[in-house]
Amino acid sequence: MITNSFDPNSKPFITAEGFYGEVERNDVVTIVTFKQKVVDYAIEKYGAKKTCSYKTTNGFQDVYSFEYEGKVFQVYCSGIGATVASIIMKEVSVVTGSHKFIYFGSCGVLNEEACRGKIIVPTSSYRDEGISYHYMAPSDYVDVRNHSKVEQILSKTNIPFVAGPIWTTDGIYMETVNKVNKHKEEGCLAVEMEVSGVEAVARYYDIDNYHILFSADSLDGLEKWERVDFGGDSELVLQIQAFEVALRVAKEL
């Protein structure tokens, strides 16, 4: 069964280092977005420049570098989903030497009252995706290791937030009524598609990762799906605001 896929007793045949070589680790913090327009924003506002563009089977992965308040940061646009996001994280770490990654992105809210107008900081995530079971022993949830650090920084900078468990799923069109109710009863604040997989892969490769989420749509009232204008101007405003929050967190790491 897939939940028994973790093999800690032998080495993989294929490695990112074998494909791309390996750069010595450094302290540059990498900010990960799932929207190219956010990278365009970083280019326009902060003068981000392409510093790395390596070939993958699906094309090129571009990584940009910029300076903010005397420190250098990286940013790139990731593919969506736990498997894609976590493997790109490993590849970018190998190619650039960065081992600190901040992820930010939208989510579906399961507790509108708790999350309204706030950044959501995952403290753990239900593993309803596949890749995490290849990188750590089976469990229902994975703890998000660095959530306390994110909470401390947000508190210090007076950014409103709520912290708690979330649900990560591969099946965006199979977020059924029963599943939603189950995870709401467990106390999950939101549902999204990357956190548990990225956390498991990051642990395996000794990469530090940090997560912040913002509300895009609501699954709290099941009579009607309340959605954001995906791809529209209002959603882009939320994405850019979240990028600025991620940048403030990055500065403190």
Side-chain angles (χ1 to χ4, degrees):
M1 295 181 65
I2 189 172
T3 54
N4 296 320
S5 295
F6 182 51
D7 175 14
N9 300 315
S10 62
K11 296 181 179 180
F13 279 102
I14 302 171
T15 66
E17 291 84 354
F19 273 115
Y20 304 111
E22 187 172 15
V23 173
E24 185 176 353
R25 282 192 168 208
N26 57 59
D27 290 327
V28 174
V29 180
T30 300
I31 301 172
V32 185
T33 178
F34 297 95
K35 197 171 189 68
Q36 181 59 39
K37 287 185 178 179
V38 174
V39 175
D40 297 339
Y41 168 80
I43 293 170
E44 181 178 351
K45 181 168 183 179
Y46 296 108
K49 299 184 183 302
K50 188 186 299 184
T51 53
C52 171
S53 184
Y54 65 92
K55 190 174 183 179
T56 73
T57 56
N58 290 323
F60 287 87
Q61 178 65 53
D62 299 329
V63 182
Y64 293 77
S65 180
F66 65 96
E67 188 172 315
Y68 174 72
E69 295 190 1
K71 294 182 68 174
V72 174
F73 301 94
Q74 294 182 158
V75 62
Y76 69 87
C77 181
S78 174
I80 293 173
T83 299
V84 174
S86 57
I87 295 305
I88 292 176
M89 173 188 65
K90 171 56 179 174
E91 292 177 338
V92 171
S93 181
V94 166
V95 171
T96 69
S98 173
H99 66 283
K100 294 181 179 180
F101 287 71
I102 300 179
Y103 284 79
F104 73 93
S106 62
C107 64
V109 169
L110 303 182
N111 187 332
E112 186 70 30
E113 182 177 356
C115 298
R116 187 181 298 116
K118 299 174 183 176
I119 290 293
I120 302 165
V121 180
T123 58
S124 62
S125 187
Y126 185 82
R127 298 167 63 184
D128 194 10
E129 40 69 36
I131 193 167
S132 68
Y133 293 95
H134 297 277
Y135 281 87
M136 64 181 295
S139 61
D140 285 342
Y141 282 81
V142 56
D143 291 331
V144 178
R145 294 164 299 164
N146 292 316
H147 70 87
S148 294
K149 181 65 175 177
V150 176
E151 292 173 48
Q152 290 169 9
I153 294 171
L154 294 179
S155 295
K156 177 181 176 182
T157 52
N158 296 315
I159 296 173
F161 71 92
V162 59
I166 65 163
W167 163 29
T168 300
T169 180
D170 278 340
I172 186 171
Y173 295 128
M174 284 301 290
E175 295 172 13
T176 66
V177 172
N178 287 340
K179 290 180 183 178
V180 170
N181 285 335
K182 171 182 180 292
H183 294 300
K184 285 174 65 175
E185 290 171 3
E186 292 174 349
C188 289
L189 298 174
V191 56
E192 53 77 68
M193 297 184 69
E194 289 84 25
V195 172
S196 63
V198 167
E199 178 68 29
V201 174
R203 285 179 177 220
Y204 185 83
Y205 291 119
D206 192 25
I207 295 171
D208 286 326
N209 60 309
Y210 308 82
H211 297 274
I212 60 174
L213 302 170
F214 66 90
S215 170
D217 54 352
S218 176
L219 288 77
D220 196 5
L222 290 173
E223 293 81 8
K224 182 180 179 182
W225 174 38
E226 297 178 11
R227 57 169 289 182
V228 74
D229 181 20
F230 289 104
D233 291 340
S234 59
E235 193 237 354
L236 180 58
V237 169
L238 295 174
Q239 292 277 1
I240 289 173
Q241 289 174 343
F243 171 78
E244 291 290 350
V245 172
L247 184 54
R248 292 173 73 175
V249 173
K251 186 174 71 72
E252 300 295 326
L253 296 178

